Amino acid sequence: MSNKIGELLVKEGAITRKQLEEALKCQVIFGGRLGTNLVEMGFIDEQTLVENLSKQLEVPFVTVEQLMSVPAEVINLIPRELAEEYKIIPLSLDKKRLTVAIWDPSDLAAIDAVSFITGYIIRPLVCSELRLLLALEQYYGIKREVRYIQMKGGTGTRSREDAPDMRGVTASGSEELEPSPFEDMMDELPPPPPGGTGETGSAWGDLVDIRPPDTAQGPLLKRKLPEPAPDVQPAVERGPVPPEEPVKDARQSLPPVPKATPTPSAVAPMEPETSPADTLLTRLAEAGSRDAIADALVGYLGRDFERVALFMVKGRIAVGWKGHSKNVPITGFDHLHVPLDEPTLLRVVVDTKNFYLGPILDSPGNARILAGLGGGEPDSVLLIPLMMMERVVTVFYLDGDKGLLGKKLFELQKIIGKASLAFEILILKNKILLA
């Protein structure tokens, strides 16, 4: 659906082809729906989005007044678990017909499931992702992700050609961030956690041509073929023979049977074992989503390191994306957010666009990072940036033995280069799907 709405917006003149391609890049890297990224980048407003969604799906759209003034007795018609699973908000009930705002009105399977569970005839209305997530938080207490941040100016108001060269600009010369469109929708709602303002990085641009050297392949494991079992001549039992009638063993008159020697052609070849590094590269090449890329990386790196985490960098905030400790997901890590306008190791890596290896320094921001990772004070940490579009979009965090971190540094940098290529592949797939 997202690709079709993008083409419709281009056809209607609401956005340009270049803006659509930039939004597709952001969608692959940061997640969310295409329309949400277009709104966050300032290319269109929310009303334009929902009107075109309504036109595309031939389904009426919900108004702000309808969505934000639903009586409690109507909200209670849909339990919290159902609302969270299907991203649905009940709006009104007329006899057995329940009008709802739903995540995807074209998802007939979801609509049928809700109808079966509730016993109502479901009438879906179009709603933007931003507005729907806000309503889920308001009515059901389902927290929205911290990732929804909008840049004021910058990508939302300029093309690539008009954007200034931001490389080397200090924090004092960067543009400001403002909260997501959520904060303009409902002033009475509590604001997001402090630290949501700061400076932006470079303007969005074309992907950097990243071609890291191929990961060095270790020698395949060699298995010894089983040695053929030695021939064992069966013992021949002979019972007592009367002396007057000696019995001759018939087998003694037969010619000796030559020993069977296995030939190379008779031995089935052994399949070489696939190394964990090869498995990782295969998973990255075949990944169909950003989360599949993250899961492959966390699973591979979790074999050697105590804690592994990925931070998503959007504007001047780093948000927890994936975090594992001893290969177990860290509870609540996706709610961690670290402003990049205060001293932290994340800020050092983002601003310098280079890795950091060493102790974690004592500061309130670094303490918040460790708390979000489950606490503790590691002896040494390694943070490596993933670059795309001339800026840091993800930071990899690992902690453990300093010697092992240093020994693995070169390999880890190459792996992260491969991850960048995996993101590029996803972007190209989305471009291919464009009409």
Side-chain angles (χ1 to χ4, degrees):
M1 183 178 75
S2 62
N3 290 329
K4 293 181 179 179
I5 186 61
E7 286 299 314
L8 179 60
L9 290 169
V10 172
K11 182 179 179 181
E12 294 292 323
I15 61 174
T16 65
R17 170 70 59 174
K18 184 172 182 179
Q19 288 173 330
L20 173 58
E21 292 183 357
E22 290 186 2
L24 286 171
K25 296 176 187 177
C26 293
Q27 183 186 22
V28 167
I29 297 169
F30 300 117
R33 297 208 158 195
L34 177 62
T36 301
N37 282 274
L38 286 166
V39 173
E40 288 183 317
M41 297 173 75
F43 292 153
I44 59 172
D45 57 47
E46 188 197 10
Q47 187 62 30
T48 301
L49 174 63
V50 296
E51 288 176 357
N52 281 274
L53 284 171
S54 176
K55 182 177 181 179
Q56 175 207 352
L57 299 172
E58 298 181 348
V59 174
F61 63 86
V62 61
T63 65
V64 176
E65 292 74 17
Q66 283 178 286
L67 190 61
M68 296 305 174
S69 58
V70 183
E73 59 270 19
V74 175
I75 290 294
N76 291 335
L77 297 175
I78 298 290
R80 184 184 190 277
E81 295 75 15
L82 197 63
E84 185 172 17
E85 179 178 0
Y86 292 103
K87 301 295 188 294
I88 186 172
I89 298 290
L91 299 173
S92 62
L93 179 64
D94 182 11
K95 297 181 181 179
K96 295 292 290 183
R97 184 181 294 273
L98 181 64
T99 301
V100 300
I102 192 169
W103 184 263
D104 183 0
S106 65
D107 189 349
L108 299 182
I111 293 173
D112 289 343
V114 173
S115 178
F116 177 79
I117 295 171
T118 61
Y120 297 117
I121 300 171
I122 302 299
R123 175 176 176 258
L125 296 184
V126 171
C127 183
S128 72
E129 180 187 33
L130 293 168
R131 186 74 61 179
L132 183 62
L133 293 178
L134 177 66
L136 286 170
E137 183 176 64
Q138 175 179 334
Y139 294 122
Y140 294 100
I142 300 171
K143 294 297 182 182
R144 50 188 163 92
E145 295 181 27
V146 187
R147 67 162 293 274
Y148 294 100
I149 303 165
Q150 181 188 26
M151 280 187 249
K152 181 187 294 182
T155 61
T157 57
R158 305 177 203 158
S159 67
R160 171 70 174 164
E161 291 79 5
D162 297 332
D165 186 357
M166 300 294 293
R167 287 171 292 183
V169 176
T170 61
S172 61
S174 303
E175 297 171 347
E176 293 184 356
L177 280 177
E178 64 178 8
S180 154
F182 280 119
E183 313 316 324
D184 296 328
M185 296 175 183
M186 284 292 288
D187 293 335
E188 62 270 20
L189 286 182
T197 59
E199 305 84 10
T200 66
S202 306
W204 297 100
D206 298 331
L207 293 176
V208 180
D209 186 15
I210 304 174
R211 292 186 176 85
D214 292 335
T215 302
Q217 302 296 322
L220 296 177
L221 296 178
K222 297 181 180 179
R223 292 183 175 180
K224 293 184 178 180
L225 297 179
E227 296 291 339
D231 288 345
V232 178
Q233 299 294 335
V236 180
E237 289 191 13
R238 295 181 175 85
V241 181
E244 66 274 13
E245 293 182 14
V247 178
K248 185 178 181 181
D249 191 341
R251 286 172 292 182
Q252 294 177 353
S253 61
L254 296 176
V257 179
K259 294 182 179 181
T261 303
T263 60
S265 60
V267 180
M270 300 294 293
E271 290 292 334
E273 287 189 352
T274 302
S275 69
D278 289 336
T279 301
L280 170 65
L281 297 181
T282 299
R283 291 183 64 184
L284 290 178
E286 297 176 352
S289 68
R290 59 193 291 273
D291 285 328
I293 296 174
D295 290 338
L297 292 166
V298 170
Y300 177 78
L301 299 176
R303 300 175 311 111
D304 297 324
F305 302 102
E306 185 77 11
R307 287 186 293 199
V308 179
L310 277 69
F311 290 87
M312 179 174 59
V313 179
K314 195 172 185 191
R316 292 296 292 178
I317 291 183
V319 180
W321 180 10
K322 297 278 184 179
H324 281 210
S325 177
K326 297 180 179 178
N327 284 323
V328 177
I330 299 173
T331 303
F333 181 72
D334 56 341
H335 294 296
L336 173 64
H337 76 286
V338 182
L340 298 179
D341 54 359
E342 62 178 272
T344 63
L345 291 183
L346 287 170
R347 176 178 179 176
V348 171
V349 173
V350 172
D351 288 349
T352 63
K353 301 180 181 179
N354 207 342
F355 71 88
Y356 173 88
L357 173 61
I360 188 163
L361 305 179
D362 185 16
S363 73
N366 287 335
R368 187 160 57 251
I369 294 173
L370 290 177
L373 289 165
E377 296 184 6
D379 295 333
S380 188
V381 298
L382 173 62
L383 286 80
I384 306 178
L386 185 150
M387 298 284 299
M388 293 189 73
M389 299 181 291
E390 300 181 5
R391 57 169 295 184
V392 177
V393 297
T394 302
V395 176
F396 291 75
Y397 169 98
L398 306 102
D399 62 29
D401 178 73
K402 183 177 181 180
L404 180 61
L405 290 170
K407 181 179 178 181
K408 292 277 189 177
L409 177 59
F410 180 66
E411 175 192 351
L412 293 171
Q413 287 178 314
K414 291 198 296 182
I415 287 174
I416 292 173
K418 300 288 187 180
S420 180
L421 293 176
F423 279 114
E424 283 198 54
I425 291 172
L426 286 182
I427 293 172
L428 291 175
K429 286 180 179 178
N430 282 351
K431 288 185 177 181
I432 291 172
L433 293 175
L434 292 175

